[in-house]
């Protein structure tokens, strides 16, 4: 059994992952996958554990993520995310909770997410890992809430609701990579 609480003003996650040889590129997707792989590997070595993390600023995917608040629990090789809150690049806010599990295609997150902010262009450029990406993404306030399954090359957003450019939407989205 393990219990830990970590707090920091600044953590360079990109440098830590690179030093451990766990990150091939600096994209947010690669960094998050490397972190998820590491969490699942550590969860498999303990019977039961909890981890609370509070970080003022972290370098992740080549940009700053702020006010990171994370509560994790591990049991039987599975990781439960009780709380994940973060300020993402471009004055955007993320809240999520759910489960993280290993699959043949890599780690998979399942649970509710809420994403909202005011600079979607900045967020999409950061998330795509491409600072030179076309500027066609919408500018302005947006919101998205959904039951998500993310990982293994797939993205599913069920019961999605939100608003983009003062237009409300709802529905579902399925994307299968490769």
């Amino acid at each position: 059994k393990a219990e830990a609480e970590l707090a920091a003003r600044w953590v360079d996650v990109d440098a830590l992952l690179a030093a451990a040889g766990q990150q091939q590129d600096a994209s947010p997707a690669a960094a998050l996958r490397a972190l998820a792989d590491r969490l699942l590997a550590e969860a498999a070595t303990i019977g039961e554990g909890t981890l609370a993390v509070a970080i003022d600023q972290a370098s992740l995917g080549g940009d700053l993520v702020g006010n990171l608040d994370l509560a994790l629990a591990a049991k039987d090789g599975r990781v439960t995310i009780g709380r994940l809150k973060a300020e993402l690049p471009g004055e955007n806010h993320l809240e999520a909770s759910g489960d993280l599990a290993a699959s043949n295609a890599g780690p998979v997150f399942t649970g509710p997410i809420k994403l909202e902010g005011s600079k979607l262009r900045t967020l999409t450029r950061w998330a795509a890992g491409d600072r030179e990406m076309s500027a066609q993404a919408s500018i302005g306030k947006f919101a998205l809430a959904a039951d998500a399954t993310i990982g293994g090359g797939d993205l599913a957003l069920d019961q999605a609701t939100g608003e983009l450019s003062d237009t409300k939407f709802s529905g579902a989205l399925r994307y299968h990579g490769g």
Side-chain angles (χ1 to χ4, degrees):
K1 184 171 184 176
E3 294 181 14
E5 290 185 32
L6 303 172
R9 289 185 188 265
W10 165 256
V11 175
D12 190 340
V13 176
D14 294 329
L16 291 172
L17 291 172
Q22 289 185 291
Q23 188 174 348
Q24 309 328 327
D25 63 54
S27 73
L32 291 173
R33 181 182 173 135
L35 285 172
D37 281 336
R38 183 75 181 240
L39 282 172
L40 290 167
E42 292 298 322
T45 67
I46 59 172
E48 188 176 329
T50 61
L51 173 63
V53 177
I55 300 174
D56 291 344
Q57 285 189 327
S59 174
L60 178 69
D63 212 332
L64 293 180
V65 173
N67 299 320
L68 180 63
D69 180 17
L70 179 63
L72 302 173
K75 187 172 184 174
D76 300 328
R78 292 186 65 89
V79 175
T80 299
I81 302 169
R83 176 184 66 250
L84 169 58
K85 295 181 180 181
E87 298 299 325
L88 303 179
E91 300 172 21
N92 298 298
H93 181 75
L94 170 70
E95 291 184 28
S97 61
D99 293 312
L100 185 61
S103 77
N104 291 339
V108 176
F109 166 81
T110 304
I113 63 166
K114 183 179 178 184
L115 183 61
E116 59 188 4
S118 61
K119 295 183 181 173
L120 185 57
R121 179 184 299 170
T122 303
L123 180 65
T124 54
R125 285 181 177 178
W126 172 72
D130 184 0
R131 300 286 185 243
E132 302 301 319
M133 189 174 98
S134 168
Q136 297 301 313
S138 173
I139 302 172
K141 287 178 45 176
F142 71 94
L144 170 68
D147 292 332
T149 301
I150 304 167
D154 294 332
L155 168 68
L157 301 176
D158 292 310
Q159 300 179 29
T161 61
E163 186 172 342
L164 179 63
S165 298
D166 295 324
T167 302
K168 293 183 186 277
F169 65 85
S170 64
L173 170 76
R174 301 226 184 281
Y175 173 80
H176 179 70

